[in-house]
Amino acid sequence: MPQAPIEGGADVVIVGAGAAGLSLARRLTAPPAPEGGPASVVVIEPPAGSSLRSPDRTWCFWENDPGEYDALVAARWRRMRITARDGRTASAAFPRTYKMIRSTDFLREVGAELAHRSGVRTVEATVTCVRDVPGGAEVTGRDSGGRPVRLKGRWVYDSRPPRDLPPARTTLLQHFRGWFVTTRDDRFEPGVADLMDFRTRQPDRGLSFAYVLPFTPREALVEYTVFSADPLPEAAYDAALDTYVRTARPLGALLVTGVEQGVIPMTDGVFARRAGERVFRIGVAGGATRPSTGYAFAAIQRQTAAIADAWHAGRTPQPPQPHAARHRLMDAVMLRALATGGAGGAAFFEGLFGRNPPDRVLRFLDGTSTLRDEWAIGLSTPVPAMLRALAELPVAPRRKGRAWS
């Protein structure tokens, strides 16, 4: 059973009010309260206007209906389409609904929900130090006026992106820029998500593709995504998007109404989920991002649910490993094959979708695949290249992680 809050502090202090931080706060304080009362939680977020706040973005994930956050879902799709480099297409029904949540909606609505819970307090401050202290852990920093802030918790969860990525044998970046567009004429099928369109210029090592998520017949998010060692200049993304909407997927006259851009680490480095006796890392900092795909939202929900269950049961509320060991191994092999040029990125994914039923591939991408699924998926990849990458892993050195944030 949870212990009483420590004097002058809280049961839990959460650093960061993004998807991971707010999801954990929400789960720890969700009614009905366990015996002994709900957790007392302090959420620390950077001051308004700070560059440390995450930019607006969209989060996509697969889920059965009805879903926990359905009220916040901005769009959903029942079918997917994959387009090969030669223009051939394959389409199929999603085994589970593909959903999109805008970060602005999530942060606003979940933040408002938490504001009405008596056990939750939000503090705006720039955190400078998180450390163990007798009886718990301490977070120190400064508020927007420069005044010192000091908070103590029985447990502290740090969701800030890591300053440096962990040592790894292979590190790629998934970097992207998307245009929210409105077209003059009907150009989209609202129920069909184009997950991957490979009619983009492919890098020598890595992968590129377009990603189209329609909202109405005339509105969609059109995104250009690259897996490679380094990001591109901003103008290069816009040039690729312009080429795509004029030649590969002609959209005619259009208006760009918004933009999203980001970089996601794809690494076989191990993210430490424990930073102290009473300090844990969660979310991206705790390894929630799937190395081979960049998806994180569903894993964040699994991770925070497990933490809350452990806390309510009186166990040590340590974040679980978000992804199974065999999935991490498969991801490591795939990343190495892509990074070394052993497996052409577009050919790899074209084969993955072309030689497997969609539900099998999506279970793998979502981290819920079985051993049988993974055996079949392995046989549908460039086997010699994957075996070579697998053989190289035990002797490949783990190099120092690159600067991240």
Side-chain angles (χ1 to χ4, degrees):
M1 187 171 72
Q3 301 178 43
I6 58 177
E7 185 178 353
D11 289 312
V12 173
V13 176
I14 299 171
V15 181
L22 293 188
S23 295
L24 180 57
R26 182 175 180 269
R27 294 182 187 283
L28 286 171
T29 59
E35 185 179 350
S40 58
V41 175
V42 176
V43 179
I44 308 174
E45 61 178 340
S50 169
S51 62
L52 296 175
R53 289 203 176 192
S54 298
D56 297 343
R57 60 189 61 193
T58 56
W59 298 320
C60 292
F61 55 99
W62 287 275
E63 185 179 54
N64 291 323
D65 293 319
E68 180 178 10
Y69 294 108
D70 275 358
L72 303 180
V73 170
R76 64 190 72 209
W77 300 270
R78 307 287 185 179
R79 295 187 64 81
M80 71 168 184
R81 180 164 50 218
I82 305 295
T83 302
R85 288 163 292 175
D86 61 7
R88 289 178 300 164
T89 63
S91 107
F94 281 125
R96 294 190 290 166
T97 306
Y98 193 51
K99 302 179 181 181
M100 171 196 283
I101 291 179
R102 296 177 186 264
S103 63
T104 49
D105 295 338
F106 184 91
L107 302 185
R108 181 187 65 250
E109 296 301 322
V110 176
E113 180 183 345
L114 293 175
H116 289 89
R117 294 187 180 177
S118 59
V120 182
R121 183 162 57 105
T122 300
V123 174
E124 288 194 357
T126 299
V127 172
T128 55
C129 181
V130 180
R131 64 187 184 115
D132 286 315
V133 295
E138 181 183 75
V139 179
T140 55
R142 293 191 175 276
D143 66 14
S144 58
R147 294 177 293 272
V149 172
R150 177 178 175 272
L151 294 163
K152 190 176 181 182
R154 190 171 301 283
W155 304 99
V156 171
Y157 295 88
D158 193 344
S159 68
R160 294 174 297 172
R163 292 183 178 178
D164 298 295
L165 295 177
R169 293 162 298 201
T170 308
T171 296
L172 293 176
L173 299 178
Q174 178 181 155
H175 44 106
F176 56 87
R177 183 172 173 86
W179 288 351
F180 291 89
V181 303
T182 299
T183 60
R184 184 177 60 191
D185 304 312
D186 291 355
R187 298 285 181 172
F188 306 110
E189 298 175 61
V192 181
D194 283 280
L195 281 190
M196 287 181 161
D197 185 338
F198 296 109
R199 293 174 296 172
T200 54
R201 183 177 179 181
Q202 297 298 319
D204 292 335
R205 297 185 178 184
L207 168 71
S208 78
F209 58 91
Y211 182 76
V212 182
L213 299 179
F215 310 128
T216 72
R218 299 188 182 187
E219 296 173 297
L221 169 62
V222 182
E223 201 150 277
Y224 174 64
T225 300
V226 183
F227 296 178
S228 68
D230 297 292
L232 304 175
E234 186 172 300
Y237 298 103
D238 284 332
L241 282 165
D242 182 65
T243 298
Y244 179 74
V245 301
R246 285 189 301 103
T247 59
R249 178 81 177 264
L251 297 182
L254 61 83
L255 176 67
V256 178
T257 60
V259 173
E260 74 167 12
Q261 186 161 346
V263 181
I264 300 171
M266 305 177 72
T267 174
D268 67 357
V270 179
F271 288 81
R273 287 165 288 134
R274 193 159 202 160
E277 185 65 27
R278 296 277 177 159
V279 181
F280 299 109
R281 293 190 176 99
I282 58 173
V284 173
T289 303
R290 181 73 189 271
S292 62
T293 65
Y295 285 107
F297 188 81
I300 285 171
Q301 301 311 312
R302 293 193 297 266
Q303 188 183 62
T304 54
I307 293 168
D309 288 345
W311 192 89
H312 291 314
R315 304 190 305 270
T316 299
Q318 179 171 344
Q321 176 58 253
H323 305 291
R326 67 179 190 274
H327 292 158
R328 300 197 305 274
L329 174 61
M330 293 180 72
D331 290 351
V333 172
M334 189 202 83
L335 289 177
R336 185 160 188 85
L338 290 178
T340 59
F348 177 92
F349 280 98
E350 286 172 355
L352 197 66
F353 282 98
R355 300 169 192 157
N356 293 280
D359 56 339
R360 178 187 295 155
V361 179
L362 296 181
R363 284 196 298 270
F364 172 71
L365 297 179
D366 197 34
T368 57
S369 54
T370 64
L371 284 170
R372 185 175 182 179
D373 290 332
E374 290 145 22
W375 176 257
I377 284 172
L379 292 177
S380 69
T381 63
V383 174
M386 303 304 279
L387 289 176
R388 184 165 57 250
L390 177 62
E392 292 172 353
L393 286 181
V395 297
R398 288 190 178 271
R399 304 186 186 279
K400 181 181 178 182
R402 64 189 295 170
W404 178 242
S405 62

